[in-house]
Structures are given as C-alpha cells and as structure tokens.
Amino acid sequence: MADLEQVKYPIGKFRRLSGPLSKSERLDFIKDIEQTPAVFRSLVTGLTDAQLNTAYRPGGWTVRQVVHHMPDSHLNAYIRFKLAITEDNPTIKPYDEARWAELIDGRTEPIGVSLDLLEALHKRWVVFLRSLSDADFSRTFFHPEMKAAVTLDQSLAIYGWHGKHHAAHVKQAI
C-alpha cells in the first residue's frame, strides 16, 4: 500500500498562498471550479453500489460520502464568499465535515441529487466569481478555527484544489 500521506493527499496538500493571486491564476481556479461537477459526474456515472460504498483508503470516506461531501462543502464556501462581499470580515460558521459525512444522507442516499446540486451550485458560483473585481478577491472572512482572516483569493485557491483533491480520492477508490 502506498504511503498513507500520499493516499490521503494524492495531489499533495494544499499550499497556502503567500500573496494575492494574479488575474490568470484566478481564472484558472474559477475554471477548475466550473469543471468540478462534470469531472465528478464522469467519474461516478455507472458505478455500482459496491463501488460507491468503497472507501478510498482504510478508515476514509466511501466514494458515496465523497460525492455527497462536495456540495456540502461547496455550499458553505459559496455562502462564505457572499458574506465576505456583503459584510466587513464576517465571522463564518465552521462545520464538522466528518460528522456530516456520517449522517444518513451522506452514507446511504443515491448520488444523483448531490451531483445535480453540485452542478447547479457551481453554475451560480461561477457567475458570481466572474462578476468580482480584483479588489473583491482581497476581501476577507474570519475563520474562528484558524483564528485568522481568509482572503477570497485564498479561499478560491482552496476550493480549486479541493475539487481535484477529492476527484483523486474517487479515482483511487475505483
């Protein structure tokens, strides 16, 4: 079996930004976010229940849980972006993603609804992201677990990475 760190982070851990993103980097991350729903749909279409219930690593989530996690996580991100644009450094509400993944809908429900939700959400999110100015991406929200303000540039980079990170988990499992 591969090194546990490699299995947990098949594309590598997210690296925090040292400064603002360039316009080109932003556009690349927005494109990543735009493509995420199609990537997930292509990876999981036609999988059996047994494949959907396969964990990508020992003690890790199943493919089904990863698929359901994506809209859970990205809905939170979308709301955080909107709060940062409409309020001055709002404090966001963290959530326990591991506990959410263990709830009945994340463990047992068919994945179609989450794929549709992810697609609809990303359509809205991408329209919103493309409407933002360069200055808007320097706006922040306060993350109480990190005890730090997070710029929208930083958050954009995280969620561009996040889709690829979990897509790689699904590829590992199947």
Side-chain angles (χ1 to χ4, degrees), residues 83-147:
L83 287 168
I85 291 299
T86 61
E87 299 177 23
D88 185 28
N89 195 38
T91 299
I92 57 96
K93 172 78 173 94
Y95 73 105
D96 187 336
E97 64 184 33
R99 289 187 66 194
W100 282 36
E102 290 301 322
L103 296 172
I104 192 75
D105 60 325
R107 287 187 295 107
T108 65
E109 284 302 298
I111 59 172
V113 172
S114 283
L115 291 170
D116 292 345
L117 179 56
L118 189 67
E119 185 176 327
L121 169 63
H122 279 233
K123 283 181 182 177
R124 291 262 324 259
W125 196 9
V126 167
V127 167
F128 174 70
L129 289 170
R130 288 185 173 143
S131 76
L132 300 179
S133 69
D134 290 344
D136 287 336
F137 282 97
S138 67
R139 293 187 61 87
T140 60
F141 57 81
F142 183 79
H143 197 300
E145 289 178 342
M146 296 170 57
K147 295 181 175 51

Side-chain angles (χ1 to χ4, degrees), residues 24-43:
S24 172
E25 289 169 322
R26 276 189 206 113
L27 291 173
D28 286 346
F29 284 125
I30 292 169
K31 188 169 184 91
D32 291 340
I33 288 169
E34 181 176 39
Q35 294 172 347
T36 295
V39 167
F40 270 83
R41 196 173 292 275
S42 72
L43 286 171

Side-chain angles (χ1 to χ4, degrees), residues 67-91:
V67 172
H68 290 311
H69 163 72
M70 291 300 294
D72 287 348
S73 173
H74 290 199
L75 279 164
N76 275 283
Y78 178 63
I79 290 166
R80 291 169 182 181
F81 269 78
K82 287 201 154 195
L83 287 168
I85 291 299
T86 61
E87 299 177 23
D88 185 28
N89 195 38
T91 299

